[in-house]
Amino acid sequence: MSTPGRAGKAGQGLQLAPFRGLRYVPERVGSLAAVTSPPYDVVVRPDGLRHLETADPHNIVRLILPQAASAADRHRLAAETLRRWQDEQVLAPDPEPALYVYEQRGGGILQRGLIGALRLSPREEGVVLPHEDVMPHIVEDRAALMRDTGANLEPLLFSYRGNGSTTGAAGVIDRVTATPPLLSTTTDDGYAHRLWSITDPHDLELIGKDLSQQHALIADGHHRWATYLRLRAEQPAPGPWDFGLVLLVDTARYPLRVRAIHRLLHRLPVAEALAAVEGVFRVRTLDGPLPAALDALAEASERPGNAFVLAGDGRFHLLDRPDPAVLARLVPADRPEAWRTLDATVLHSVLLEHVWRVPDDPEHIGYIHETAAAVKQAERHGGTAVLMHPVKEDVVRELAEQGVTMPRKSTSFGPKPATGLVLRSLALN
């Protein structure tokens, strides 16, 4: 399975190339679990960052979220740390290029997929389908980090829909996972992780032929995919920057879980937020703790109209039954109905832009995956947490196939791959 050049025909499907994985040497670290991390944008800072940094001096968070006085210093520190860990044999490359089967098991979920270097393709080819917009400042930060380290530090999560057969890639995965893994570990969240390598030319050929008929949805990693494309444009072709590290999951066999990403409005107190929505949404203060509030949100989301829960003042407030006339006036009319009725669309187009007048920038809005963490930070700092109900995967895919992007940070697909199990150094590939 050779590394193809940059040129490619539109609609040729996915091309997943083997690479020499850069992996932790178990004897040089406390444990594999102690050096892993969630993806960079899921780490809750500063508490989660501090926990990971103290878990092991070689935790991968020191590469994906380095701490220094300036952005340039952070990226330089990550590059120096990566070089030092390789010199000290904390990280070492596998002997030959491979695709990797990655398995996660926990919470009643079994997920398996293929980690490899995916050929980058522009959106117009229709091979890789994004479903969310990106924020330029995050792409700039990730690009500087990748540029300085010369590495893809964490795999993006992509999904595709196989035909349900047990041949091709599915057959290879089933056969490989019946053999002893390269590594096995269980992380603090209770998930068990296993990794296998695939180097047999026949297996690689079967996978390549199968994936060439598929297109993928970006489940998690829009900013890093945009970063891959940006860095490829800077480099001469062909070369290692024509590819990016991804995990491909066949959701016909292993359906992903979809969760919401919540908003933290740093400078908007709950009392002001509630006063401003009067007449736009129905507002009810809920009895009970956070689980009861989430149950009420789920129930309201089953009915027509949009619903949110506001938190931050020690209570929970359900917003539902929006005024249809307000929505008709403020939600852009040039998109499909499925987009116009999304909770994220209404939140950004109506509440953030017109009702609360909150700029969509990091000083004013934080994006937090964990519900309890969003509530805790809002209460601690006097802001407002906007808790959201997840979107169904079919809606996400339907919009993506129409070329329609959802508001940024609309979904959280999972389980997400653990960061730190396998890296891709562009100097080796």
Side-chain angles (χ1 to χ4, degrees), residues 11 88 195 387 394:
E88 296 172 350
L195 193 75
L387 308 183
D394 288 345

Side-chain angles (χ1 to χ4, degrees), residues 124-401:
E124 53 268 23
E125 282 191 12
V127 176
V128 173
L129 304 174
H131 69 270
E132 289 183 359
D133 294 327
V134 298
M135 292 174 268
H137 73 279
I138 296 180
V139 175
E140 174 59 36
D141 178 75
R142 292 295 101 182
L145 178 64
M146 285 190 204
R147 196 182 293 116
D148 283 8
T149 58
N152 300 154
L153 299 172
E154 44 189 344
L156 286 58
L157 176 60
F158 282 25
S159 71
Y160 70 98
R161 288 269 178 87
N163 59 14
S165 74
T166 56
T167 59
V172 175
I173 290 172
D174 288 347
R175 187 167 63 254
V176 168
T177 52
T179 66
L182 282 178
L183 65 84
S184 178
T185 190
T186 300
T187 45
D188 287 346
D189 58 5
Y191 274 86
H193 307 261
R194 297 198 295 172
L195 193 75
W196 296 260
S197 66
I198 303 172
T199 57
D200 179 82
H202 179 63
D203 286 343
L204 295 174
E205 184 178 354
L206 287 175
I207 292 171
K209 183 177 180 180
D210 190 353
L211 294 182
S212 70
Q213 308 301 312
Q214 304 291 341
H215 64 266
L217 175 74
I218 302 177
D220 186 69
H222 284 82
H223 289 89
R224 286 165 289 167
W225 181 254
T227 298
Y228 288 168
L229 294 174
R230 175 171 177 168
L231 293 174
R232 181 186 69 164
E234 299 175 1
Q235 305 295 326
W241 293 94
D242 289 356
F243 299 82
L245 186 63
V246 305
L247 165 64
L248 280 173
V249 175
D250 178 359
T251 53
R253 305 189 81 205
Y254 304 105
L256 296 177
R257 180 187 61 210
V258 188
R259 290 181 171 175
I261 302 177
H262 311 293
R263 274 58 171 166
L264 176 61
L265 311 183
H266 301 298
R267 300 183 182 180
L268 181 68
V270 174
E272 292 183 20
L274 292 173
V277 298
E278 192 70 36
V280 180
F281 277 79
R282 183 178 70 165
V283 180
R284 288 180 290 156
T285 299
L286 303 170
D287 297 323
L290 176 58
L294 295 178
D295 287 343
L297 176 60
E299 182 181 343
S301 297
E302 292 299 319
R303 298 191 292 266
N306 307 96
F308 311 95
V309 165
L310 304 190
D313 62 352
R315 298 180 297 174
F316 298 98
H317 311 274
L318 178 66
L319 276 57
D320 66 354
R321 299 187 183 178
D323 184 338
V326 174
L327 300 190
R329 186 173 75 253
L330 298 180
V331 175
D334 60 345
R335 303 286 184 90
E337 181 70 11
W339 181 90
R340 299 183 75 250
T341 56
L342 288 170
D343 287 342
T345 297
V346 172
L347 173 62
H348 284 259
S349 299
V350 178
L351 292 176
L352 293 176
E353 185 174 345
H354 293 282
V355 175
W356 293 330
R357 299 188 181 279
V358 176
D360 193 357
D361 61 52
E363 290 185 14
H364 293 86
I365 302 180
Y367 293 84
I368 300 181
H369 293 71
E370 294 298 327
T371 310
V375 174
K376 181 180 178 181
Q377 292 199 34
E379 292 178 344
R380 179 183 296 175
H381 301 293
T384 295
V386 183
L387 308 183
M388 304 180 67
H389 192 67
V391 183
K392 291 181 171 60
E393 181 183 357
D394 288 345
V395 174
V396 177
R397 188 174 294 275
E398 174 191 342
L399 289 172
E401 289 175 347

Side-chain angles (χ1 to χ4, degrees), residues 62-64 66 72-87 144-151 153:
R62 297 181 185 275
L63 299 183
I64 63 172
D73 288 342
R74 290 195 297 271
H75 305 141
R76 189 179 307 114
L77 175 62
E80 292 170 354
T81 301
L82 179 58
R83 284 194 294 270
R84 185 175 74 255
W85 288 358
Q86 291 181 83
D87 291 342
L145 178 64
M146 285 190 204
R147 196 182 293 116
D148 283 8
T149 58
L153 299 172

